[in-house]
Amino acid sequence: MRHFRHWRLLSLAAALVAAVALPAAAAPQYWLDPAGPVAAMQGRLFLLTLGIMLFVFVTVGGMLVYTLLRFRERRAAEKTVTKGGTVVRRETAAASEDDLPPQIEGSHKLEVVWTLIPFVLLLIMAVPTVRLSFALAADPGEDALEVRVVGHQWWWEFEYPELGIVTGNELRIPVGRPVKLTIVTDDVIHKFWVPKLAGKMDAIPGRTNRMWLQADEPGVYWGQCAEMCGTHHANMRLRVVALPAAEFDTWVVNWGRGPVVENEAQLAAVERGRQVFETRACFACHTVEGTTAQGQVGPNLTDLGVRHTLGAGIMENTPENLARWIDDPQAIKPGSLMPRVGLTPDELRDVVAFLSALR
């Protein structure tokens, strides 16, 4: 058991070092590499708290080690009794009162000091914590983009009320502009978390929670559900795509314009795919603007062609992966609510062409 405790402590220390030292490039959800003001404020508060805790740990631990070494019990001196040059016996000399450290019944000064020190340390942590709480609860401004976030088992829905846009699993935002998130759930408890942009926020049945975030640099920021919500909690991922303002405006304008094709052959395949999509089970679960498909069960697929991932972030969005997903979603994500549609190879190829062209 003693060796087990030692290994456990070593493992914990190694994990802490790895968490702090791991390069951001090797960990897309490395929360100590903030990319926005909310994550930066939360990171500074964490580092302040960590520094104070380390100071307390080192100070108290150092005093404990010093005390154990300085005032440890020492082996009593031995006295050898001889008779005629022969050792008769060995006697242990009893410790005298002079050998004992000073015995202190109590010290009012020490009591005041070790009461004031924790109070001051807690005050140092409390002031920035309260300030941060008010900053996160404050309205980020009239220019903020409003987005409604809905957690489902096991995917995310993003609705832009002011823009009339609904999308799934990828939240597109403009760089440098605050985004106000209204977070709800359609079933069980979920937790929205994009580590590089902001901390966690619960999605609780019957309750509406709010937070805001902002990306200061263009990029794709990884996120996920951080609350155990069922068998595929680990596969309930998301991406926040931060675009320059002009690119974001272009995406808004182009959303819902329909398939984008390059030649007549592709147009024919896309048209056949649209017909299949509108006549088979696809239309009952998914929405594609500009078509008769207006299902509300699964993610809105209007802009599927520009998304980076499929299946709530579990694989890259390529025609090959899209075909695999449509053909047998249970083989990729067992337990997901999407059933096998049973398309023929030709129908599958045409539907993939149609969905991939939705840009």
Side-chain angles (χ1 to χ4, degrees):
M1 287 298 294
R2 184 177 62 184
H3 293 301
F4 173 75
R5 287 194 295 269
H6 290 167
W7 278 110
R8 186 169 59 181
L9 290 174
L10 289 175
S11 300
L12 181 61
L16 180 60
V17 171
V20 175
L22 189 64
Q29 293 183 217
Y30 184 67
W31 58 276
L32 287 178
D33 180 35
V38 175
M41 289 188 291
Q42 293 170 332
R44 286 194 295 269
L45 179 60
F46 168 80
L47 292 176
L48 172 65
T49 305
L50 177 63
I52 292 176
M53 294 299 100
L54 287 176
F55 168 76
V56 173
F57 174 79
V58 171
T59 302
V60 175
M63 293 173 65
L64 175 61
V65 171
Y66 171 78
T67 302
L68 292 175
L69 296 177
R70 174 67 178 81
F71 300 105
R72 70 188 184 277
E73 183 178 4
R74 290 173 172 81
R75 181 178 299 177
E78 291 185 348
K79 179 181 179 182
T80 303
V81 180
T82 61
K83 186 176 183 180
T86 303
V87 176
V88 177
R89 64 182 181 278
R90 298 180 184 275
E91 296 179 350
T92 301
S96 66
E97 293 185 359
D98 295 336
D99 297 329
L100 297 177
Q103 303 300 298
I104 301 175
E105 294 293 333
S107 172
H108 294 300
K109 291 182 179 180
L110 284 178
E111 291 176 0
V112 170
V113 169
W114 62 48
T115 301
L116 285 177
I117 290 177
F119 175 78
V120 172
L121 295 178
L122 289 174
L123 189 63
I124 293 173
M125 292 187 290
V127 172
T129 299
V130 172
R131 292 178 60 185
L132 177 60
S133 298
F134 278 103
L136 298 182
D139 192 319
E142 298 180 357
D143 184 51
L145 176 67
E146 294 193 9
V147 178
R148 183 172 181 264
V149 180
V150 184
H152 300 271
Q153 289 180 307
W154 290 273
W155 59 282
W156 296 96
E157 182 178 19
F158 303 111
E159 178 184 356
Y160 302 74
E162 300 172 341
L163 305 177
I165 293 175
V166 179
T167 185
N169 298 317
E170 289 194 8
L171 172 63
R172 292 177 175 264
I173 62 174
V175 171
R177 182 178 176 185
V179 180
K180 295 169 59 176
L181 302 179
T182 302
I183 302 175
V184 298
T185 177
D186 188 52
D187 35 61
V188 299
I189 298 177
H190 301 284
K191 191 186 293 283
F192 181 86
W193 186 34
V194 185
K196 288 195 173 186
L197 297 182
K200 305 171 183 177
M201 179 60 71
D202 284 321
I204 301 175
R207 179 168 180 171
T208 299
N209 287 331
R210 293 176 174 82
M211 62 177 289
W212 68 276
L213 54 78
Q214 177 179 313
D216 291 335
E217 300 176 0
V220 179
Y221 301 99
W222 292 33
Q224 65 183 64
C225 177
E227 184 78 38
M228 179 60 185
C229 57
T231 56
H232 277 277
H233 157 70
N235 289 328
M236 187 175 171
R237 308 171 192 174
L238 66 106
R239 299 288 188 273
V240 175
V241 183
L243 302 171
E247 292 185 24
F248 178 79
D249 293 340
T250 300
W251 173 73
V252 171
V253 171
N254 291 336
W255 190 87
R257 66 177 175 176
V260 177
V261 297
E262 298 177 357
N263 51 59
E264 292 295 329
Q266 185 183 9
L267 177 60
V270 167
E271 181 59 25
R272 292 193 301 269
R274 183 188 64 79
Q275 294 175 3
V276 173
F277 193 90
E278 291 180 332
T279 56
R280 301 297 291 273
C282 311
F283 81 95
C285 294
H286 298 283
T287 293
V288 174
E289 293 296 328
T291 72
T292 59
Q294 297 295 313
Q296 302 295 321
V297 177
N300 189 306
L301 304 180
T302 300
D303 66 337
L304 182 65
V306 299
R307 297 182 192 173
H308 294 77
T309 63
L310 299 170
I314 64 174
M315 58 183 178
E316 185 181 356
N317 185 7
T318 65
E320 295 76 18
N321 285 340
L322 181 56
R324 289 176 53 220
W325 173 259
I326 297 173
D327 183 55
D328 191 1
Q330 298 303 316
I332 299 173
K333 195 173 182 179
S336 66
L337 299 183
M338 181 171 173
R340 293 193 67 175
V341 182
L343 302 178
T344 67
D346 289 340
E347 290 175 333
L348 178 60
R349 183 176 60 252
D350 292 337
V351 168
V352 169
F354 167 66
L355 294 175
S356 298
L358 295 175
R359 298 177 176 275

